[in-house]
Amino acid sequence: MNRSLRPSLRAARPLAVLGVAATLLAAGCSSGGSGTAPGDPANGGTPQQGGSVTFAMPPNATPNWIFPIATPGHTQAYNGTIRQQVFLPLYVYDGTDTSKPDVRAGAAELPKYSEDGKSVTITMKDDLTWANGEKVTARDVEFWFNLIKANKEKWATYNEGQFPDNIAKFTLVDDKTFTMDLTQAYNPDWFTANQLTRMSPMPQKAWDIQEAGGQVGDHDRTPEGAKKVFDYLIGEAGKLSEYATNPLWKVADGPFTIKEFTTTGQVTLAKNPKYTGEDAAHLDTVTLKPFTSAQAELNVLRSGGVDYGYLPALALSQQKTIEGMGYKVEPWDGWAISYIPYNFNNPEMGPVFKQLYIRQAVQMSVDQDTIARVIWHDQATPGYGPVPQVPPGSYLGEKQKTNPYPFDLNKAKALLTSHGWEIQNGVATCTRPGGGDDQCGAGVEQGTQLKFQLLTESGSTETDNTMQELQSSLSKIGIALSIKSEPLNSVLDHSPVCKPEEAACSWQLSFFGTQGSWYYPAYPSGEDIFAGDAGTNLGSYRDPKADELVKASTSSTSPTAMQDYSSYLAENLPVIWMPNPAYQVSAIKKTLGGVVQDPMAGMTPQRWYLVK
């Protein structure tokens, strides 16, 4: 599930995608998974080879991408989870140990940085081959790099100044090794975790074609050719119904291949018989099963219809019953944050959102403690800023450690009335326009009313209740909030990065955090979501100081760099900070072994196995 908007955006996760809630053991954090996976020999039972397992996906989660280069609308975390089982990325991290990559799960040996930190050398694993028998080589990484470089504006996770802009030179040393000269010295921990994990070798000798039936060549080595190859592959990647049959996607180097990939969201991975690496799958198939709601998943779970499912927060009282059916129930926590972006470019409400006092009043109206305790049944953690809130490790700034804006409706309302707003028929109306300290603010016109529109993901009773609670609180300070629910992919599609004059910029607020909005890589910096030109900065938040702090956090090895960034964004409020729910409370059959619940929302199903 990788970095992504968990819907996320990841990572996101890069997945993103589009979430998990809050316990990690890395960089001073602790793992959310149990020490012994259910069904492991330590719990009794003998590991078996073969068999099939069904995994329940989040409500309304519909995988929609397999190509190793994600375009907008395809960054959901579960896309990354599926893709990395078929096409190995250079590096994968396991959130239970973020000090270094999980080398077994990737395509390369550990990177080696020069003493001055301005270059990195990477050697591909010697034993990996593609399903067509060709070796996985450094040229396959160059192929990926060339397509990214020539088409970076179409890459969903492109941020100006970041990858590939920060690569001054890409050099093939030999068949297995390449070196990248960097434009400056970077923090190696950041560069490996947040840049190198984006890279993925792709089968150049099979995919370097410009049209169906075209001849394979070195087309990617010219910008024009790279654009044609990219357009062709992106076009093929849009044909979801052909994922299981298209010869392109059969040239895999991972432990699984695609057996089934439906437009309704069900995906079945089959063991790759041609995989040559050290991390081969034990199971014959793993089916990722979609559900329209948490209740629908619960009904199937009660019947024993999934091997790896989850209990909705409202159903936690049924834990003993589920355990009696042969499941182990445990939370799957994560390295994530949840938030509601403001669309600062919305032509109607953008000028309002740009007023810090407005954002402060809104944040003071979020009763995070009650939402986490009552609505999420203690399966969510209040969040105050851009870094995962718990455990309070070395990345957290002082301002984010304690809530800068505690729930206080009286103070929130006073902020509005002291800046020229009057409550008329229950809605705050600007009666003193202008840029003065006691006026509504620059760009806010006389008569503007605080009527906000919120687009939120459907399928979760907890999310529905959270939004209704927010609506109620805001109404008490004069803000009228209208709510529209849609499936996760629709929410992401309808809340893009946009310019004020574009029709797509009509959205105002968007929530996609039923399971966490953003899953971080091992190093939780914000260049992907809060830098001014970030590809997944959905609300177009721009702040020069924030940009400086983001940049410092990626280049400096000083712990204060991340702490300064954390504190500033906790106070400057680029988004509405919300409680971060646990990804899920998992229900895992005791006959399923090898499961580690990765706090970064990743999965390694190749290591799962059935036991007797």
Side-chain angles (χ1 to χ4, degrees):
M1 291 172 202
N2 245 354
R3 182 182 65 257
S4 169
L5 286 176
R6 175 73 186 159
S8 257
L9 277 167
R10 223 190 169 182
R13 282 171 146 350
L15 238 88
V17 158
L18 287 148
V20 195
T23 317
L24 173 80
L25 219 160
C29 315
S30 81
S31 168
S34 60
T36 304
D40 279 354
N43 288 340
T46 303
Q48 304 294 305
Q49 289 294 315
S52 299
V53 164
T54 299
F55 175 87
M57 286 196 295
N60 286 316
T62 307
N64 61 358
W65 203 245
I66 193 65
F67 187 47
I69 300 174
T71 55
H74 303 114
T75 59
Q76 296 87 328
Y78 37 82
N79 283 331
T81 293
I82 295 166
R83 184 174 59 247
Q84 74 180 34
Q85 301 306 315
V86 182
F87 304 111
L88 297 178
L90 273 188
Y91 299 109
V92 176
Y93 276 78
D94 174 355
T96 61
D97 179 7
T98 57
S99 63
K100 60 184 184 302
D102 177 0
V103 174
R104 278 200 301 157
E109 305 294 348
L110 289 175
K112 296 180 181 179
Y113 289 86
S114 61
E115 289 188 10
D116 63 3
K118 292 185 178 181
S119 70
V120 57
T121 298
I122 296 171
T123 300
M124 307 302 293
K125 290 181 179 177
D126 189 55
D127 58 347
L128 285 177
T129 63
W130 299 105
N132 61 5
E134 296 285 348
K135 282 281 190 178
V136 177
T137 67
R139 174 71 176 99
D140 294 321
V141 182
E142 184 203 13
F143 176 52
W144 181 93
F145 178 80
N146 289 341
L147 293 193
I148 287 290
K149 188 174 182 179
N151 300 277
K152 61 185 182 182
E153 299 294 346
K154 298 178 182 180
W155 186 29
T157 53
Y158 171 64
N159 300 325
E160 186 175 359
Q162 303 294 334
F163 201 89
D165 296 345
N166 53 14
I167 307 300
K169 185 179 181 182
F170 186 107
T171 304
L172 289 178
V173 177
D174 56 38
D175 196 41
K176 286 293 181 181
T177 307
F178 65 94
T179 296
M180 292 188 294
D181 295 333
L182 313 181
T183 55
Q184 66 176 69
Y186 289 101
N187 181 329
D189 291 340
W190 171 79
F191 198 84
T192 302
N194 294 32
Q195 302 288 273
L196 296 184
T197 51
R198 299 166 184 249
M199 302 184 74
S200 179
M202 300 193 305
Q204 186 269 332
K205 292 184 178 179
W207 289 7
D208 200 351
I209 52 179
Q210 299 178 337
E211 59 187 358
Q215 293 294 314
V216 172
D218 290 324
H219 307 298
D220 63 298
R221 284 181 163 167
T222 67
E224 181 182 354
K227 289 178 180 180
K228 290 181 179 179
V229 173
F230 180 85
D231 288 343
Y232 168 66
L233 293 174
I234 289 296
E236 293 300 295
K239 303 172 183 177
L240 271 66
S241 62
E242 298 179 12
Y243 277 7
T245 57
N246 191 324
L248 288 171
W249 318 130
K250 295 294 185 182
V251 190
D253 63 341
F256 287 98
T257 59
I258 299 296
K259 180 179 180 180
E260 174 190 34
F261 202 118
T262 71
T263 55
T264 57
Q266 181 157 305
V267 176
T268 298
L269 300 172
K271 181 176 181 177
N272 180 2
K274 297 182 180 179
Y275 173 72
T276 58
E278 59 180 330
D279 206 18
H282 298 284
L283 296 167
D284 293 325
T285 62
V286 175
T287 297
L288 288 80
K289 189 174 181 62
F291 292 92
T292 56
S293 68
Q295 183 60 48
E297 185 275 341
L298 179 61
N299 292 337
V300 174
L301 178 69
R302 286 173 178 151
S303 70
V306 292
D307 301 288
Y308 193 156
Y310 51 87
L311 278 174
L314 289 174
L316 292 178
S317 60
Q318 301 181 39
Q319 177 174 343
K320 295 297 183 184
T321 300
I322 298 299
E323 288 175 336
M325 296 171 56
Y327 288 91
K328 179 174 181 178
V329 176
E330 61 177 19
W332 183 350
D333 296 325
W335 194 226
I337 59 173
S338 290
Y339 55 86
I340 298 174
Y342 297 96
N343 185 1
F344 292 98
N345 279 347
N346 177 264
E348 182 179 359
M349 281 296 129
V352 173
F353 295 152
K354 289 176 182 177
Q355 311 306 317
L356 178 58
Y357 76 87
I358 291 282
R359 306 199 301 274
Q360 291 172 330
V362 170
Q363 193 66 57
M364 290 179 186
S365 303
V366 184
D367 189 356
Q368 294 211 52
D369 290 339
T370 298
I371 291 171
R373 185 181 70 254
V374 177
I375 294 178
W376 287 96
H377 302 270
D378 289 319
Q379 295 301 318
T381 302
Y384 311 138
V387 174
Q389 198 70 38
V390 292
S394 62
Y395 297 127
L396 278 178
E398 289 299 321
K399 298 294 185 181
Q400 193 186 330
K401 288 182 179 178
T402 56
N403 191 354
Y405 303 106
F407 179 65
D408 192 325
L409 294 179
N410 290 330
K411 286 186 177 181
K413 189 173 183 179
L415 266 178
L416 299 181
T417 56
S418 67
H419 282 84
W421 298 85
E422 292 184 5
I423 309 298
Q424 300 176 359
N425 298 319
V427 179
T429 302
C430 176
T431 57
R432 293 198 304 274
D437 290 342
D438 63 346
Q439 294 177 307
C440 300
V444 181
E445 298 180 355
Q446 173 93 22
T448 297
Q449 293 187 310
L450 297 187
K451 293 183 176 181
F452 299 165
Q453 300 168 5
L454 170 66
L455 185 62
T456 181
E457 69 172 287
S458 59
S460 165
T461 301
E462 291 77 24
T463 290
D464 292 344
N465 291 343
T466 295
M467 297 308 136
Q468 290 167 13
E469 166 65 22
L470 180 61
Q471 182 184 56
S472 175
S473 292
L474 290 175
S475 71
K476 295 173 183 177
I477 69 168
I479 297 178
L481 181 69
S482 63
I483 301 171
K484 182 180 181 182
S485 298
E486 293 183 352
L488 177 56
N489 285 351
S490 295
V491 172
L492 292 177
D493 286 342
H494 294 158
S495 47
V497 179
C498 60
K499 297 179 180 179
E501 64 273 15
E502 296 174 341
C505 228
S506 61
W507 71 275
Q508 296 179 357
L509 298 166
S510 177
F511 180 73
F512 39 81
T514 294
Q515 294 172 290
S517 298
W518 183 261
Y519 270 71
Y520 280 105
Y523 190 87
S525 53
E527 67 279 358
D528 284 338
I529 49 177
F530 296 126
D533 294 320
T536 42
N537 175 5
L538 298 188
S540 301
Y541 167 75
R542 290 180 181 274
D543 183 276
K545 184 174 181 180
D547 284 344
E548 290 177 7
L549 293 171
V550 167
K551 184 176 181 179
S553 72
T554 65
S555 57
S556 172
T557 57
S558 169
T560 61
M562 275 296 295
Q563 293 165 5
D564 292 344
Y565 156 78
S566 165
S567 287
Y568 183 73
L569 267 69
E571 290 193 308
N572 196 247
L573 301 173
V575 295
I576 305 172
W577 304 119
M578 297 295 291
N580 188 53
Y583 170 56
Q584 65 187 35
V585 177
S586 297
I588 310 168
K589 282 188 176 178
K590 294 177 181 177
T591 54
L592 177 58
V595 174
V596 175
Q597 302 208 112
D598 180 0
M600 283 161 48
M603 292 197 307
T604 49
Q606 69 271 32
R607 298 173 191 170
W608 298 353
Y609 51 81
L610 297 175
V611 298
K612 288 186 178 179

